[in-house]
C-alpha cells in the first residue's frame, strides 16, 4: 500500500481550512506518517508559550483523528533530529533560485532584510520531512503543491547525483475544498495566522461561535445561490465548504438553496460544519485535558519515526562520501 505522509504547523489554532484541505483526507494506513512540524513554526518569532500551546492543540487533533493507530505514526518533528540533519544535506542540493521563486517567500519574505534564514530555507525542511520516510503520496491543500513539486525536484537531483536514494512523492490535492477562503474576505485564503479572526473558523471553537461566523459570512447583494468563484466568491466558498463536508456536490447544494435566501443557506452550511466536525472537536478538547497522555503518544511515534528516518540520513551521507564509523 502507498505510504502517505503529511504534517501541519502549530502556528496558531487549527482551522476549518486545515481540516477540509488536509486533515480530513489523512487516513491511518500502515506505514503512513503524520506529524506536527514544530520546527517550521519558529521561522517567525513566536512566544514560547504560544508555540507550546499550538503544538499541544495540533497534537490533540491528530490523536483525536486516530492517526497514531493501525501502524501509522504521529509525532513531533522536533523530537526526531534526523529532520534537521536531512534538511542541511538537502540545502546543499537546493538552489537559491528555486527557493526564491516559492510563492510564500515571494509574498512574505522577499525584499525584507530581517526575514529569517529559516523562513527562506523552510521548503527544504519540508522536503526533508517527506523524503526521510519514502512517502509515496502527500495529501495537502493547494497552497502546498509548489512545495511538494520542489521536493520532487530535489529528490530527482539527489538521486541523479548520489544514486537511487529517495522515493519521488506525488502531491494529492482534493478536488473539492483544496483552498478554503476567509469568510470575511473570500478572496484571501483562510489561514491560522490571520488578523481577521471572524473570517477564520477554528476546528476546536464552540459550535455557537462557528454558527455565528457563518451567519456573518460576507456574500453579495443578489441573493441567488450559484457557484461562480469569480463573481460570487463568498457564496462559492460556502458551497465549497458544504460540498467538501457533506459529500454532496456543489451543484446539488446550489440547486436546493438557489432561491431559499442567503440566511437559510448560511444556516444550513453552518449546521453541516458543526455536525461533521463535532466528533473531532469533542475528542480533541477532551484529550487536551491530558497533556501527558498526548505527549506519550508523540514519544512512541517519535521512536518509530527515528528508526525509519536515521538509516535514510546514513544512506545519503555515505553516498555523499562521509565515512561511516
Ligand atoms: P500548514 O500548517 O499551513 O497547513 C496544513 C495543511 O492544511 C492545508 N491548508 C488548507 N487547505 C485548504 N484551504 C485552506 N485555507 C488551507 N489552509 C491550510 C495546507 O495545504 C496543508 O496541507 N508546509 C506545510 C506543513 C508541512 C508539510 C510537510 C506538509 C511541513 N512539512 C511535509 C506536507 C508534508 C504547511 O505550512 O502547512
Amino acid at each position: 500500500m502507498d505510504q502517505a505522509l503529511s504534517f501541519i504547523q502549530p502556528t496558531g489554532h487549527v482551522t476549518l481550512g486545515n481540516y477540509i484541505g488536509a486533515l480530513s483526507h489523512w487516513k491511518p494506513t500502515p506505514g503512513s506518517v503524520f506529524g506536527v512540524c514544530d520546527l517550521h513554526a519558529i521561522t517567525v518569532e513566536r512566544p514560547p508559550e504560544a508555540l507550546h500551546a499550538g503544538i499541544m492543540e495540533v497534537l490533540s487533533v491528530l490523536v483525536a483523528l486516530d492517526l497514531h493507530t493501525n501502524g501509522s505514526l504521529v509525532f513531533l518533528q522536533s523530537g526526531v533530529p534526523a529532520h534537521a540533519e536531512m534538511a542541511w544535506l538537502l540545502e546543499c542540493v537546493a538552489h537559491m533560485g528555486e527557493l526564491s521563486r516559492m510563492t510564500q517567500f515571494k509574498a512574505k519574505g522577499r525584499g525584507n532584510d530581517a526575514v529569517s534564514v529559516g523562513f527562506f530555507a523552510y521548503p527544504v525542511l519540508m522536503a526533508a520531512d517527506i523524503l526521510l520516510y519514502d512517502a509515496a503520496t502527500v495529501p495537502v491543500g493547494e497552497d502546498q503543491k509548489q512545495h511538494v513539486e520542489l521536493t520532487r525536484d530535489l529528490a530527482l537531483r539527489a538521486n541523479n547525483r548520489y544514486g537511487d536514494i529517495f522515493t519521488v512523492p506525488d502531491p494529492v490535492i482534493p478536488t473539492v475544498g483544496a483552498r478554503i477562503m476567509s469568510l470575511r474576505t473570500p478572496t484571501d485564503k483562510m489561514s491560522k495566522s490571520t488578523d481577521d479572526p471572524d473570517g477564520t473558523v477554528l476546528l476546536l471553537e464552540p459550535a455557537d461561535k462557528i454558527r455565528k461566523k457563518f451567519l456573518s459570512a460576507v456574500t453579495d447583494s443578489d441573493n441567488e445561490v450559484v457557484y461562480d468563484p469569480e463573481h460570487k466568491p463568498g457564496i462559492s466558498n460556502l458551497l465549497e465548504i458544504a460540498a467538501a463536508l457533506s459529500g454532496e456536490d456543489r451543484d446539488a447544494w446550489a440547486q436546493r438553496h438557489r432561491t431559499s435566501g442567503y440566511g437559510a443557506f448560511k444556516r444550513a452550511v453552518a449546521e453541516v460544519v458543526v455536525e461533521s466536525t463535532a466528533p473531532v472537536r469533542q475528542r480533541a478538547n477532551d484529550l487536551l485535558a491530558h497533556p501527558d497522555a498526548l505527549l506519550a503518544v508523540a514519544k512512541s511515534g517519535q521512536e518509530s519515526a527515528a528508526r525509519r528516518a536515521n538509516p535514510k540520513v546514513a544512506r545519503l551521507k555515505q553516498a555523499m562520501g562521509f565515512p561511516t564509523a
Side-chain angles (χ1 to χ4, degrees), residues 7 16 25 48 76 80 135 142 151 189-190 198 202-203 222 241 277 308 316 319:
F7 285 69
L16 185 64
H25 302 280
L76 309 182
V80 182
E142 195 215 50
T151 304
K189 192 184 73 172
M190 185 183 283
D198 288 340
L202 308 179
L203 191 60
D222 67 29
I241 291 172
T277 55
R308 280 177 61 181
L316 177 61

Side-chain angles (χ1 to χ4, degrees), residues 123-207:
V124 185
L125 179 58
M126 174 161 163
D129 300 337
I130 298 170
L131 298 180
L132 277 172
Y133 299 94
D134 283 324
T137 57
V138 184
V140 281
E142 195 215 50
D143 62 337
Q144 296 301 318
K145 188 167 176 229
Q146 193 187 32
H147 292 153
V148 183
E149 278 161 2
L150 173 79
T151 304
R152 290 173 59 86
D153 290 346
L154 295 182
L156 290 167
R157 195 176 306 148
N159 283 351
N160 232 339
R161 266 186 214 172
Y162 302 114
D164 206 10
I165 292 179
F166 295 123
T167 299
V168 181
D170 283 312
V172 178
I173 318 273
T175 46
V176 182
R179 189 176 177 83
I180 299 300
M181 311 307 270
S182 159
L183 297 190
R184 302 293 299 173
T185 322
T187 43
D188 291 347
K189 192 184 73 172
M190 185 183 283
S191 155
K192 290 190 217 96
S193 43
T194 179
D195 38 16
D196 171 22
D198 288 340
T200 300
V201 176
L202 308 179
L203 191 60
L204 302 191
E205 68 189 340

